[in-house]
């Protein structure tokens, strides 16, 4: 039996309960799961758009250098993404988002693979990995932007060290 202050709307299999105060809405499990999956999809989609900026940087930089250095620039852009992904995975994400410290991450659960992902109680719906990917794309884009500034002025090995440091 419903009270006078609470209305029930059928949403799928479970009712959506709306109380008299507009700030209290209880969502059934199906809607909460759908919302989490939608958030995850949006982060991956937006991350792909940001990552696509790499191709724009590559074309801009290839057009800005002499023909003999085009391969070098394109390799730098490719290695930015590859090395950036590894470094961001191992330490960068943990430094940026790990723990309660306002300056630098200190929680071990955000560095590289942590055991939470392999437990049966893991219920993130992939949101943490989508967040990692989204933030990685920005770290890689930041490293690639500098690639154009140092085009034809920096050796490949020095640039790769720089790229690893800036993404980590």
């Amino acid at each position: 039996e419903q009270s006078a202050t609470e209305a029930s709307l059928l949403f799928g299999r479970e009712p959506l309960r709306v109380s008299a105060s507009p700030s209290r809405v209880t969502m059934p499990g199906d809607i909460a799961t759908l919302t989490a999956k939608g958030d995850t999809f949006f982060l991956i989609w937006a991350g792909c758009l940001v990552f696509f900026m790499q191709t724009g940087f590559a074309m801009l930089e290839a057009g800005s250098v002499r023909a003999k250095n085009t391969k070098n620039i394109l390799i730098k852009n490719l290695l930015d993404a590859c090395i950036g992904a590894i470094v961001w995975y191992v330490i960068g994400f943990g430094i940026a988002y790990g723990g309660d410290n306002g300056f630098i991450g200190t929680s071990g659960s955000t560095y590289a693979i942590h055991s939470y992902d392999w437990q049966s109680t893991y219920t993130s719906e992939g949101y943490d990995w989508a967040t990692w990917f989204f933030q990685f794309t920005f770290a890689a884009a930041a490293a690639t932007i500098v690639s154009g500034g140092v085009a034809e002025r920096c050796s490949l090995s020095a640039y790769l060290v720089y790229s690893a440091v800036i993404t980590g």
Side-chain angles (χ1 to χ4, degrees):
E1 183 93 49
Q2 293 177 338
S3 66
T5 61
E6 192 173 3
S8 174
L9 303 172
L10 287 179
F11 244 114
R13 291 176 292 225
E14 299 179 46
L16 176 67
R17 305 250 180 236
V18 181
S19 66
S21 70
S23 64
R24 284 197 56 196
V25 175
T26 305
M27 292 176 31
D30 291 345
I31 294 176
T33 301
L34 183 62
T35 302
K37 289 181 181 185
D39 290 346
T40 302
F41 171 77
F42 180 77
L43 274 177
I44 292 171
W45 177 75
C48 288
L49 290 179
V50 173
F51 193 73
F52 195 63
M53 289 176 10
Q54 298 279 14
T55 59
F57 292 141
M59 288 186 284
L60 175 68
E61 294 167 15
S64 301
V65 298
R66 294 176 288 179
K68 70 176 190 168
N69 291 323
T70 302
K71 289 180 187 175
N72 188 21
I73 286 295
L74 295 178
I75 287 292
K76 283 182 183 179
N77 284 334
L78 178 68
L79 291 176
D80 267 341
C82 296
I83 292 173
I86 294 168
V87 173
W88 183 254
Y89 175 72
V90 174
I91 59 172
F93 189 75
I95 290 173
Y97 296 100
D100 299 329
N101 187 340
F103 176 67
I104 193 168
T106 56
S107 171
S109 66
T110 55
Y111 288 91
I113 293 179
H114 52 81
S115 62
Y116 299 131
D117 293 334
W118 307 106
Q119 295 175 358
S120 62
T121 57
Y122 176 72
T123 59
S124 176
E125 299 290 337
Y127 186 77
D128 55 349
W129 289 105
T131 303
W132 175 88
F133 175 71
F134 182 72
Q135 297 301 332
F136 150 70
T137 59
F138 280 101
T144 304
I145 288 171
V146 177
S147 172
V150 298
E152 299 182 330
R153 296 177 184 88
C154 183
S155 70
L156 182 63
S157 58
Y159 180 76
L160 294 179
V161 169
Y162 155 79
S163 180
V165 169
I166 197 168
T167 54

